[in-house]
Amino acid sequence: QISLLATQPFWMGYKSEIDASKEYSNFRFPFNINETGIAFSGIDLYKNTNIVNTGEVPTGLIIKIECKRGTVNNPVIYNAVNGNHFKINYSLIDGDLITIDTNKKTVLLERDAETFNLIGYKDPTSTWFQVPYGVSTFTYNADNVSENLSVIIETTPLFYGV
């Protein structure tokens, strides 16, 4: 008798990474600064981001939320299609990086070269995202200034395998 255990029964496609904060550069040549000044870069405040799952089954996400400057209170990611959200009831300071892994159901904070578990700060109404086949739209916000956030969303499509 042969017994097989497939803890991950799916083939994995290539991971894709989407920058949801949409920072852009304004620096171009020829370069000229007039009296009113010039912005070297900016952030697109229209924060909707499409995530495309090309796999055959729903897949989780890895969401990286970084505080770029100042403080940010209680960041939240929304699925704009079905209204589900994932919120962390925690205040971030400059340089903090939160990694939410909806596959492993973990929430980790990296601060000053140390890693902390923030699962206890997960809002009780939060949902562990699973992205179905096709296009899903996500957005983000915070209780104060969401412009201080950088949000990266990673997804890996899954295909029927074993």
Side-chain angles (χ1 to χ4, degrees):
Q1 178 181 13
I2 296 175
S3 179
L4 299 175
L5 175 64
T7 58
Q8 173 53 287
F10 300 107
W11 295 100
M12 298 173 77
Y14 291 106
K15 175 176 71 172
S16 65
E17 186 175 282
I18 307 291
D19 186 353
S21 53
K22 295 183 177 72
E23 294 181 20
Y24 59 89
S25 172
N26 277 342
F27 190 76
R28 291 176 178 72
F29 287 101
F31 182 68
N32 185 1
I33 299 178
N34 57 28
E35 290 181 20
T36 59
I38 183 171
F40 284 96
S41 66
I43 298 175
D44 185 359
L45 297 179
Y46 184 72
K47 296 176 281 199
N48 284 351
T49 300
N50 289 331
I51 303 296
V52 181
N53 179 7
T54 58
E56 298 171 336
V57 294
T59 186
L61 299 172
I62 296 175
I63 304 165
K64 297 180 180 180
I65 303 170
E66 183 178 6
C67 181
K68 292 288 203 175
R69 57 200 154 272
T71 60
V72 175
N73 298 325
N74 308 324
V76 59
I77 308 292
Y78 295 99
N79 182 329
V81 175
N82 61 20
N84 290 340
H85 71 278
F86 196 98
K87 183 176 184 178
I88 303 296
N89 294 316
Y90 193 81
S91 293
L92 303 176
I93 60 173
D94 188 20
D96 282 356
L97 174 68
I98 290 180
T99 302
I100 302 166
D101 188 335
T102 67
N103 296 303
K104 297 177 182 176
K105 295 184 174 35
T106 60
V107 182
L108 301 176
L109 167 70
E110 292 177 39
R111 175 183 284 171
D112 299 328
E114 291 187 63
T115 302
F116 304 94
N117 187 346
L118 290 188
I119 196 71
Y121 294 92
K122 174 183 153 292
D123 191 88
T125 62
S126 293
T127 302
W128 295 103
F129 294 126
Q130 288 289 303
V131 180
Y133 172 80
V135 178
S136 296
T137 303
F138 288 86
T139 187
Y140 65 93
N141 207 345
D143 285 354
N144 54 351
V145 280
S146 61
E147 291 78 24
N148 292 350
L149 289 176
S150 171
V151 178
I152 305 287
I153 301 174
E154 297 176 5
T155 185
T156 303
L158 301 174
F159 300 92
Y160 291 112
V162 177

